[in-house]
Amino acid sequence: GRQVWHYVQTWKGAEVVGSHFDVHARNGRIFLITAQLYRPDPEGVPAPGEVVLPLDGPKVAYTLARRSQADDVVTFHDRSGRLVQRYSLRHYLDFEVEERLVADPRILVPARSVTVTDEAGASTLTADDGTHPYAGLVDVSMVGPVIDVRDQQTDSSVPWTFFDDADGLLEWRTEIVPAVASVHHHTNVVRDWLVGLRPGHPWLPEVVLATVRIAGSCNAFYTGGTINFYRQGGDCTDFGRIADVIYHEYGHGVHDYVIVSGAFASDISEGSADYVSATIVDDPVLAPTAFASDPAAFIRELDTDKIYPGDTNGEVHNDGLIWGSFLWNLRNQWITAYGYDDGVRRTDTLFLETLSYGPNYGDLAESVLAADDDDGDPSTGTPNACELIDLMNYHGFGPGTIGVVTLDHDPIASAASKDPGYEVGFSLEALTYGCGALGVDPASARVFYAVDPPAGASVDDLVFQGLVPAFDGTTYTATIPRQPAGAEIVYYLSWSSLDHTVTQTSHGGEAVSLFRFFVGDREVVWCDDFAADTGAWVSAPGFPGESPTASWVSEWEIAAPGGFSNDPPTASSKPNVIGTDVTVDGQYGARNEQYLASPLIPTAGANPWLFLLSSNRWLTVEDARYDVAAVRVLAPDLSWSQLWQNPETDGGTTHLLDGSWKADDLDLRASVVPGDDATFLWTLETDGGLEFGGWQLDDVCVVTLADVPAHYRAEGLTVEHAADRLWLRWNMPFIEPLAEVALVRSSGAWPSDVTDGELVWSDASPQWGQEILVEDPTADPYEDHFYAVFATHEAGSWPYLDVVEGENGASWAALAEETDTDTDTDTDTD
């Protein structure tokens, strides 16, 4: 609604520079007049193209001049050609950097997003083109919302370095250190690449702390959101001046922060960081000229094809080349297929999405295809599945002839005592739909189970029984046979390729990944759902009875979870959980030891048939080669015995990463005597790198087998009459130990114990669940009888004497006596 009339002043037809008269109106009414007016009196008459230029000074003077402009710089020259005035249309900061490698020609780049402070103390950030609003001398600090560069060689205690600048150009080596300039500029370049591909990447809002010229040489590293570069020394140039190295270190952070599930695999990260550098500079060779003695030497290159596992040697930079060379090959294939820009964008996008799954070489193929998926429906495959699988198989980490298969299965958490069996249902979907002979043979699916595995047993130590599931075209279903109360069952699933050259399992050969559950009705002995912090739980650094290191801290707290890092978004039941670092950032600290101790828990009422420490668990922790999470029983003398520990592998790659609340049962029967009070410990010991979410616990309880006498009652006792005999049929109790079973008959009432009546039958070595058929040879079917089956866990002792008809009791009603009613009516009529 505003109108402006802008007038310029002329003198003898020549514009007077800077002179204006402006009228502002709103809604038809003048409300403001602004003006800057001069009284020009230059010597001479203006020629065409000349302007009247006011010259600043104690008294304004005027000259006739010609104006010209090159980029942002405006200059005025008088009639003699002398420069009489020069100014920039912007205030700016620039500096020089080597375009990519040390000794490359230097290019001028804007100082983006750095802090400038004018002489009055006002501060602001430069724009992306280096401009700022201040004239004159400004102080410059290489810190802003994108990157904070620190020069350790100057003074590591100063958070950033200040430069005085008046001409808009930070001078190379004098006003700005080359490594500072290079890291600042190239971090912005790789960040621009990331913004263009994944603008929601969680690292982008953070300030990246970069340290240059660290003491030492021939190295650079990423850790905890920071990038770090060693100074020139030995045979190595200053790594902070090499764009390839800067992009590589930033690439580690791209990987670290993008992970949504899975884990940070160091070899995958090295290959990923190499690829970030290669795709930005469009060169598979990383950092040529890094070594002073040989300009042709380089750090690594991705052009040579590397194959898994033959080209691995356990060194992460070497092993990462398999993933890196796969990406470089894919990039070249897609450039050929889609053109340079689209081919690079497709590869880079797939690469970043793959990293979000946190893969290692064991599940990299699945992650690549999941990243390629476009509709969330495994049955339709993915757009590039066949091409990707061919290339992954070539590099040795593909799925082979089976393709990539997803398993959908809800594990059995627990089973009731009288469940007739335990149904296992699952489905298998191929992400390689339509890729020739790739796929699963539907007839190959199997369920394998074992009962009561020994503590610490490996998969190879267990004897599994196999089941062939039924298949309805979508879902496989098999039933594990009924087991006795108190039994622990472990099971896994398997399937094979169409040509039967590849077989996969749900547990990958790791005992910790077997599905497991206990059988038996449960009774709660003690429980805490953490609805309130009663102060009964104790946490501290170190371990009970030991003197902790000064740097160790306890991160345990009772609070509502916030979903930070790898932690749960909500509690399992009540609002609160107890866990490590629940409310801050969700990551446990490095180089730390800490414990949580339960209150002294009374276990009166517990029994040895089923005695469990039960909880809902959400645990994310590194392989125990690096970080150890354990559950222990603490004795009164502060010694402890171990109930459980996260797995440790030779390669250190089996991280335990719960992605949902998991029902976790730990068997106490070998560690705690029922009836004794017990204290339990949850501990966490961490190393110096790669942290996850740690412990999160809810609904921590001690449970036992409910109603043991009922479990010792036989099932389905019946009496039958055949061949003028009485026959008894029943199933033995589904419980162990089962030491002795007796069948007793009495008349007039149920037997009250094994001596109350006639002992019909007994077994001193009974088998749980066995179907029994027994003849009572002395029972008269024409009399009433009462039968009871008594069972015990200890020979010679009979504590379970309740009789329930239809379970362990059966009665027989006497048959009616037969009478002769036939009358002889024949007569002799001879």
Side-chain angles (χ1 to χ4, degrees):
R2 184 159 66 97
Q3 294 174 289
V4 179
W5 290 265
H6 175 67
Y7 298 90
V8 297
Q9 182 183 7
T10 62
W11 181 79
K12 296 183 180 181
E15 177 187 346
V16 180
V17 175
S19 179
H20 65 91
F21 180 86
D22 297 331
V23 179
H24 303 257
R26 181 175 287 123
N27 299 325
R29 295 173 62 90
I30 293 174
F31 71 95
L32 177 66
I33 296 175
T34 59
Q36 172 66 59
L37 299 175
Y38 293 101
R39 292 181 178 179
D41 58 353
E43 293 183 2
V45 177
E50 287 186 325
V51 297
V52 179
L53 179 65
L55 300 175
D56 292 333
K59 182 178 183 298
V60 177
Y62 303 90
T63 187
L64 295 173
R66 292 187 179 274
R67 174 170 49 194
S68 61
Q69 180 174 343
D71 296 324
D72 298 315
V73 178
V74 179
T75 56
F76 294 87
H77 293 80
D78 65 15
R79 286 181 171 179
S80 70
R82 180 174 61 91
L83 177 66
V84 292
Q85 192 173 106
R86 174 185 181 276
Y87 67 87
S88 174
L89 297 176
R90 62 175 181 147
H91 301 293
Y92 64 93
L93 282 175
D94 287 337
F95 52 75
E96 292 179 315
V97 296
E98 291 149 322
E99 188 167 13
R100 177 186 170 194
L101 306 170
V102 174
D104 274 356
R106 297 199 298 269
I107 59 174
L108 199 66
V109 298
R112 303 165 51 177
S113 298
V114 300
T115 301
V116 292
T117 305
D118 72 3
E119 294 176 289
S123 295
T124 190
L125 293 170
T126 58
D128 284 349
D129 61 0
T131 57
H132 62 83
Y134 305 139
L137 185 68
V138 292
D139 283 338
V140 185
S141 63
M142 302 302 291
V143 63
V146 173
I147 184 170
D148 174 358
V149 187
R150 305 186 182 189
D151 181 10
Q152 194 171 86
Q153 190 167 328
T154 302
D155 185 351
S156 61
S157 66
V158 177
W160 56 78
T161 305
F162 281 98
F163 307 95
D164 293 331
D165 188 78
D167 62 2
L169 178 63
L170 298 178
E171 297 295 335
W172 177 265
R173 294 189 182 277
T174 56
E175 290 184 305
I176 188 166
V177 174
V180 172
S182 183
V183 169
H184 181 278
H185 169 67
H186 289 298
T187 298
N188 274 283
V189 171
V190 64
R191 186 180 186 276
D192 289 344
W193 168 85
L194 182 60
V195 168
L197 291 165
R198 204 174 182 94
H201 191 284
W203 198 22
L204 291 174
E206 295 192 13
V207 179
V208 177
L209 174 61
T211 305
V212 301
R213 299 203 297 179
I214 297 172
S217 62
C218 298
N219 202 2
F221 64 92
Y222 163 88
T223 184
T226 71
I227 52 178
N228 307 269
F229 306 90
Y230 284 57
R231 65 195 181 198
Q232 181 174 345
D235 192 38
C236 295
T237 55
D238 186 337
F239 276 17
R241 291 172 56 185
I242 304 175
D244 300 30
V245 176
I246 298 166
Y247 300 156
H248 172 96
E249 300 307 336
Y250 191 92
H252 283 304
V254 171
H255 178 203
D256 187 12
Y257 278 75
V258 81
I259 294 173
V260 176
S261 59
F264 183 95
S266 296
D267 47 9
I268 296 296
S269 193
E270 291 298 340
S272 298
D274 285 350
Y275 178 75
V276 168
S277 178
T279 192
I280 292 176
V281 303
D282 194 28
D283 186 349
V285 179
L286 176 67
T289 75
F291 304 101
S293 62
D294 184 0
F298 51 83
I299 294 177
R300 281 182 299 281
E301 55 85 18
L302 301 182
D303 214 20
T304 302
D305 295 338
K306 298 292 184 179
I307 312 300
Y308 183 88
D311 286 329
T312 62
N313 63 9
E315 199 283 317
V316 292
H317 297 86
N318 172 80
D319 296 353
L321 291 172
I322 297 166
W323 170 231
S325 63
F326 161 82
L327 291 167
W328 191 252
N329 281 345
L330 180 64
R331 185 179 188 267
N332 287 334
Q333 286 183 197
W334 281 0
I335 288 173
T336 300
Y338 303 110
Y340 182 85
D341 290 341
D342 196 19
V344 171
R345 180 190 58 79
R346 286 171 180 258
T347 311
D348 292 354
T349 301
L350 178 79
F351 157 67
L352 290 172
E353 181 64 14
T354 300
L355 292 187
S356 72
Y357 292 92
N360 55 44
Y361 278 119
D363 56 16
L364 184 54
E366 290 86 348
S367 299
V368 169
L369 288 204
D372 187 50
D373 182 61
D374 62 348
D375 62 3
D377 183 357
S379 66
T380 62
T382 75
N384 304 288
C386 303
E387 178 184 5
L388 290 170
I389 285 176
D390 285 345
L391 188 56
M392 288 189 290
N393 283 341
Y394 169 72
H395 282 274
F397 63 84
T401 59
I402 199 169
V404 172
V405 181
T406 62
L407 168 68
D408 185 9
H409 169 57
D410 289 329
I412 299 171
S414 63
S417 297
K418 289 198 173 185
D419 283 350
Y422 319 108
E423 185 176 285
V424 178
F426 61 99
S427 63
L428 301 169
E429 294 282 1
L431 293 177
T432 48
Y433 177 81
C435 296
L438 297 179
V440 175
D441 176 7
S444 69
R446 296 291 185 272
V447 176
F448 292 93
Y449 73 94
V451 181
D452 291 331
S458 70
V459 172
D460 293 336
D461 294 332
L462 303 179
V463 178
F464 287 93
Q465 303 295 318
L467 301 172
V468 179
F471 183 53
D472 64 5
T474 302
T475 304
Y476 296 89
T477 307
T479 301
I480 297 174
R482 184 179 179 183
Q483 301 297 321
E488 181 183 12
I489 300 173
V490 296
Y491 68 98
Y492 70 90
L493 317 173
S494 76
W495 53 93
S496 300
S497 59
L498 288 168
D499 63 1
H500 288 252
T501 60
V502 177
T503 296
Q504 294 177 338
T505 65
S506 59
H507 67 301
E510 298 289 345
V512 71
S513 299
L514 292 168
F515 302 117
R516 62 183 63 228
F517 64 95
F518 286 89
V519 176
D521 302 332
R522 299 187 178 195
E523 177 183 342
V524 173
V525 175
W526 178 93
C527 206
D528 194 342
D529 60 11
F530 306 107
D533 186 354
T534 63
W537 292 78
V538 176
S539 64
F543 293 95
E546 299 178 1
S547 298
T549 299
S551 62
W552 293 347
V553 297
S554 172
E555 299 171 297
W556 289 90
E557 55 184 329
I558 295 177
F564 301 107
S565 186
N566 301 93
D567 286 352
T570 60
S572 173
S573 57
K574 301 292 183 181
N576 295 333
V577 301
I578 192 167
T580 52
D581 206 9
V582 176
T583 60
V584 185
D585 63 6
Q587 285 192 335
Y588 53 75
R591 298 185 180 89
N592 193 35
E593 293 186 15
Q594 55 184 310
Y595 74 88
L596 171 74
S598 73
L600 192 62
I601 297 173
T603 67
N607 58 67
W609 287 271
L610 186 69
F611 188 25
L612 305 175
L613 178 62
S614 174
S615 65
N616 285 316
R617 184 196 82 192
W618 190 311
L619 173 63
T620 54
V621 67
E622 256 192 302
D623 187 294
R625 182 176 179 182
Y626 307 111
D627 295 344
V628 178
V631 186
R632 295 159 172 164
V633 180
L634 183 66
D637 64 359
L638 300 185
S639 63
W640 49 264
S641 59
Q642 187 151 292
L643 291 174
W644 178 88
Q645 178 188 300
N646 62 310
E648 177 178 358
T649 60
D650 291 339
T653 57
T654 306
H655 307 316
L656 195 159
L657 301 169
D658 292 337
S660 60
W661 284 108
K662 178 182 182 296
D664 188 36
D665 292 329
L666 300 179
D667 197 341
L668 297 177
R669 287 174 288 195
S671 304
V672 179
V673 176
D676 290 351
D677 295 344
T679 299
F680 301 104
L681 292 179
W682 286 259
T683 63
L684 183 61
E685 305 167 67
T686 63
D687 70 352
L690 186 54
E691 293 78 43
F692 292 111
W695 284 108
Q696 308 292 314
L697 299 168
D698 201 359
D699 304 313
V700 176
C701 305
V702 173
V703 299
T704 193
L705 185 65
D707 196 0
V708 173
H711 284 82
Y712 274 94
R713 288 199 288 266
E715 296 186 4
L717 179 63
T718 59
V719 188
E720 303 169 7
H721 180 245
D724 208 34
R725 295 275 195 251
L726 293 184
W727 298 82
L728 286 298
R729 187 188 301 272
W730 74 91
N731 284 99
M732 290 291 200
F734 280 79
I735 195 169
E736 288 188 303
L738 196 60
E740 191 173 356
V741 176
L743 173 67
V744 180
R745 182 190 73 238
S746 69
S747 58
W750 300 111
S752 59
D753 59 40
V754 293
T755 63
D756 183 18
E758 184 76 19
L759 180 63
V760 178
W761 174 93
S762 66
D763 188 348
S765 56
Q767 298 295 311
W768 59 265
Q770 183 180 12
E771 186 177 32
I772 303 296
L773 179 63
V774 171
E775 175 193 1
D776 184 354
T778 63
D780 185 348
Y782 299 97
E783 295 180 0
D784 293 337
H785 303 292
F786 291 85
Y787 289 92
V789 174
F790 296 111
T792 182
H793 67 278
E794 183 179 3
S797 173
W798 300 93
Y800 315 117
L801 299 174
D802 289 345
V803 179
V804 176
E805 189 167 11
E807 294 184 23
N808 68 328
S811 60
W812 174 257
L815 294 175
E817 292 284 353
E818 294 184 6
T819 57
D820 187 359
T821 58
D822 186 18
T823 302
D824 187 358
T825 58
D826 293 341
T827 58
D828 187 357
T829 58
D830 189 13

